Amino acid sequence: MEVQREVLETDIAIVGAGPAGLALAYHLARLAEADGGAAKPEILLMDKGAYAGAHSLSGAVMDPRGIRELIPDFETLGAPLAAKVGADSLYWLSERGATKFPFQPPALSNHGNYIISLNKFVGWLAEQVEGAGVDIYAGLAGYQLLVENGAVTGLQTVDLGVDKHGNPKSNFEPGSIIRAKVTVLCEGVRGSLTRQAFEKIPALTAGAVPQAYLTGVKEVWEVPAGRIAAGTVIHTIGWPQPRHEYGGGWVYAMSDTMVSVGYAVGLNSPDPTNDPHMKFQRYKTHPFIRRLLDGGQMQHYGAKAIPDNGCFAMPKLYHDGLLLCGDGAGMLDPARLKGIHLAIKGGMLAAETLFECAKSGDYSTARLKAYAERFERSWAGAELRKTRNFHAGFEGGLYAGMFHAAVQTVTGGRGLFDRRVKKPDHEYMLTLAGFERRFGRRPEKARVKCDNAYTFDKLTDVYKSGTMHEEEQPPHLVIADYDICNNRCPEEYGNPCQHFCPAQVYEMVDDDQRPGKVRLQLTPSNCVHCKTCDIADPYQIIRWMTPQGGEGPNYENL
């Protein structure tokens, strides 16, 4: 039976109410207001989270340049700024020791920046957007990007009230068709509609090198007073990451008693047992970290992928009927590991372009191209050009990366090479046999015992993320071929999904029908929407899709 869908028409559909989407909506509304309101386009701003900020997660130390341009009086308007950065340091960790660098690398100098909870900040920014007259449709999830004759014409939202076999239930509500003159994808990293855009419109990525990702795993701890001063920023490199792999940790003091602690792990690891969550738990056992957290209480948990390959991995930012912005467009400075200010600036530049379109009544590709040109000329574009080769410098490991970073700093970002080609992250993973040939041993994950008081197993951490999904719906993690998971992957890779997922969505269990064999057991309700599986699966048969709107994590203070 053909499903009848409601068709909604709007001028501009913004998918994602994070920093980019909110900045776009706010700036566009203010531009129209300043111009008398006659050219104000109709805006539909939607987000898959239960509320604006529910899925927003970052470290986070925010460069205020973006928000200061968007809302100059953000401080007096009550923006939730946890602390202004004070002490700022970088440490090298060995297994038991911690050595402070005698200088602070320029990219990690945070003078004038703010420690924030991104989900609180996004919630506040959403209030400013609504105050500017733009409604936010939270809990509305995009399912399919609509492309007709090569042009993006809008999107379809997710069907509600469908059972796990795809059959309509008594409360079935078909998703709507949203027709828009321009659809702006601000979904965050590895968004499902953005991935569809790259597949349906190959020209978007034709000139880009593959994106590189880390998975960041984070907890917020309440600690005894006197351990750390509000505003303290600590970054670490070294242990527990192997020296040939990319990653590092952080400790940010949101107050004298509230600490953000986390670890980011590169997904281009050759190790099929690469486990960001376990590495983070090991990280917390280091004496340097333990002395800060011991005796405290973990309050919140979250995880997300981070796009980290710089401007050479950015897609084309426009197409007929389409703009890309924020993390999904690679707007993150890999040397500083900061993207909030860039997402805000990108949103503002998109707003200025769309305002010109609205005034002229011309939303053609020629008009939309001005967005990419604005970004290239802006301070955001200049910042990304200065760090364009940063991630590529670490291809040879930590020591090589530190050397290349120093040379790039004094050569304006070029260094000893420019635009080094890399493979997609999943292609760096070695088979079990390949790993043994290269390293002379079978891959074996280093572990710590999780006592669920100081170190936590994945399920306990997921509980602290507030994640909720209705069980009776189709799995939003779509496996193209279970035969590979159950037969081929155990022999070739040892089922890396059970390791790299930070939420225990994937488990290999004994197969009662085949003694001595295992099968994949999928638990989508645990998913924290980090997108790691969509990125790191060596066969690329896992596809992350949006579940019913309003589901997933409900982050607090993250």
Side-chain angles (χ1 to χ4, degrees):
M1 182 181 70
E2 185 177 348
V3 176
Q4 297 297 313
R5 301 185 184 277
E6 181 183 12
V7 178
L8 308 173
E9 295 192 1
T10 187
D11 293 323
I12 298 164
I14 304 172
V15 183
L22 292 170
L24 193 167
Y26 181 87
H27 194 45
L28 184 53
R30 291 301 187 211
L31 287 171
E33 181 183 31
D35 195 55
K40 183 178 180 180
E42 185 175 357
I43 302 169
L44 192 155
L45 173 54
M46 55 188 281
D47 192 87
K48 64 184 175 67
Y51 50 88
H55 295 174
S56 295
L57 171 72
S58 184
V61 174
M62 181 182 71
D63 181 335
R65 187 171 186 178
I67 190 62
R68 187 167 284 126
E69 284 192 11
L70 180 68
I71 305 177
D73 53 349
F74 68 98
E75 292 166 298
T76 58
L77 286 175
L81 310 170
K84 197 162 189 175
V85 173
D88 197 5
S89 55
L90 173 66
Y91 283 81
W92 173 281
L93 299 189
S94 62
E95 189 165 358
R96 302 294 298 173
T99 302
K100 184 178 180 180
F101 274 58
F103 61 92
Q104 191 71 359
L108 292 179
S109 177
N110 286 290
H111 178 73
N113 295 337
Y114 291 92
I115 299 172
I116 66 167
S117 154
L118 182 58
N119 85 284
K120 282 186 175 181
F121 183 82
V122 165
W124 171 83
L125 188 53
E127 293 174 359
Q128 312 313 304
V129 170
E130 291 174 329
V134 178
D135 292 329
I136 300 172
Y137 295 89
L140 187 61
Y143 179 75
Q144 184 177 8
L145 188 71
L146 302 179
V147 180
E148 300 172 9
N149 299 318
V152 175
T153 58
L155 66 140
Q156 177 194 317
T157 63
V158 173
D159 291 340
L160 305 179
V162 180
D163 68 21
K164 63 179 59 179
H165 303 293
N167 301 312
K169 298 188 292 187
S170 59
N171 61 342
F172 174 69
E173 293 182 31
S176 300
I177 299 294
I178 298 173
R179 295 284 183 187
K181 295 172 182 174
V182 179
T183 301
V184 190
L185 298 182
C186 307
E187 297 178 285
V189 64
R190 196 77 170 194
S192 57
L193 297 187
T194 305
R195 178 175 172 178
Q196 291 178 34
F198 294 162
E199 293 168 345
K200 294 180 177 183
I201 311 168
L204 290 172
T205 55
V209 301
Q211 187 58 269
Y213 300 90
L214 304 100
T215 290
V217 183
K218 171 184 175 180
E219 293 171 353
V220 172
W221 279 68
E222 186 175 5
V223 300
R227 295 281 179 86
I228 193 168
T232 298
V233 168
I234 298 169
H235 289 103
T236 72
I237 56 176
W239 191 89
Q241 272 292 73
R243 291 177 184 173
H244 60 274
E245 296 187 31
Y246 189 67
W250 75 84
V251 178
Y252 302 153
M254 304 169 75
S255 72
D256 293 334
T257 58
M258 195 68 68
V259 171
S260 162
V261 57
Y263 204 76
V265 174
L267 295 182
N268 61 345
S269 170
D271 188 349
T273 69
N274 186 34
D275 186 335
H277 180 273
M278 181 54 71
K279 286 180 177 177
F280 174 51
Q281 299 307 317
R282 292 179 66 214
Y283 178 66
K284 293 190 304 177
T285 66
H286 193 282
F288 180 70
I289 305 299
R290 185 181 281 275
R291 68 177 176 82
L292 299 173
L293 303 181
D294 215 11
Q297 187 174 35
M298 193 267 284
Q299 302 289 323
H300 308 289
Y301 170 79
K304 67 163 285 189
I306 305 165
D308 193 58
N309 210 21
C311 65
F312 287 142
M314 289 179 65
K316 192 172 82 167
L317 298 179
Y318 69 96
H319 186 72
D320 191 358
L322 176 71
L323 296 181
L324 302 173
C325 196
D327 268 3
M331 294 180 183
L332 183 133
D333 184 331
R336 303 177 71 197
L337 210 64
K338 288 181 174 57
I340 299 169
H341 65 303
L342 299 173
I344 291 172
K345 182 62 175 177
M348 293 178 69
L349 297 172
E352 292 164 14
T353 303
L354 291 170
F355 179 62
E356 289 184 351
C357 293
K359 287 193 69 174
S360 65
D362 179 6
Y363 289 88
S364 67
T365 309
R367 281 280 188 178
L368 295 178
K369 182 181 179 181
Y371 166 51
E373 294 169 343
R374 280 185 163 94
F375 190 88
E376 182 69 18
R377 294 193 304 265
S378 72
W379 57 258
E383 178 178 330
L384 288 175
R385 284 192 296 276
K386 289 179 181 178
T387 59
R388 62 190 183 273
N389 292 310
F390 180 82
H391 186 99
F394 285 81
E395 286 281 307
L398 180 58
Y399 295 145
M402 293 171 65
F403 168 76
H404 284 297
V407 176
Q408 291 164 12
T409 299
V410 299
T411 58
R414 188 191 189 285
L416 301 181
F417 57 85
D418 216 15
R419 194 181 174 88
R420 175 179 283 175
V421 177
K422 73 176 289 294
K423 300 180 291 186
D425 282 343
H426 69 273
E427 292 186 12
Y428 288 88
M429 186 184 294
L430 298 175
T431 62
L432 299 173
F435 188 93
E436 186 171 14
R437 283 194 299 270
R438 179 181 296 184
F439 296 101
R441 60 178 177 85
R442 299 283 283 182
E444 185 174 353
K445 179 167 62 179
R447 304 172 185 265
V448 293
K449 182 177 175 59
C450 295
D451 59 14
N452 289 329
Y454 184 79
T455 52
F456 299 92
D457 60 39
K458 292 178 180 180
L459 286 181
T460 302
D461 263 337
V462 168
Y463 176 77
K464 289 290 189 176
S465 72
T467 294
M468 300 273 298
H469 293 90
E470 183 182 331
E471 298 278 357
E472 189 60 32
Q473 64 174 306
H476 66 277
L477 300 151
V478 180
I479 310 296
D481 190 341
Y482 274 88
D483 183 65
I484 291 177
C485 301
N486 296 336
N487 296 300
R488 183 175 161 191
C489 192
E491 300 298 325
E492 293 182 346
Y493 289 96
N495 298 105
C497 59
Q498 65 185 319
H499 304 294
F500 58 58
C501 173
Q504 202 168 317
V505 171
Y506 305 91
E507 291 182 274
M508 301 309 297
V509 299
D510 291 337
D511 189 341
D512 294 337
Q513 304 300 316
R514 303 183 305 157
K517 300 288 186 178
V518 295
R519 62 174 179 84
L520 175 63
Q521 179 173 284
L522 195 65
T523 312
S525 57
N526 290 349
C527 180
V528 295
H529 297 201
C530 73
K531 316 297 177 62
T532 300
C533 57
D534 195 282
I535 298 162
D537 165 36
Y539 300 101
Q540 290 294 281
I541 59 170
I542 300 175
R543 189 180 190 94
W544 193 96
M545 299 291 290
T546 44
Q548 294 181 157
E551 301 188 337
N554 289 284
Y555 287 141
E556 295 181 26
N557 213 23
L558 283 163

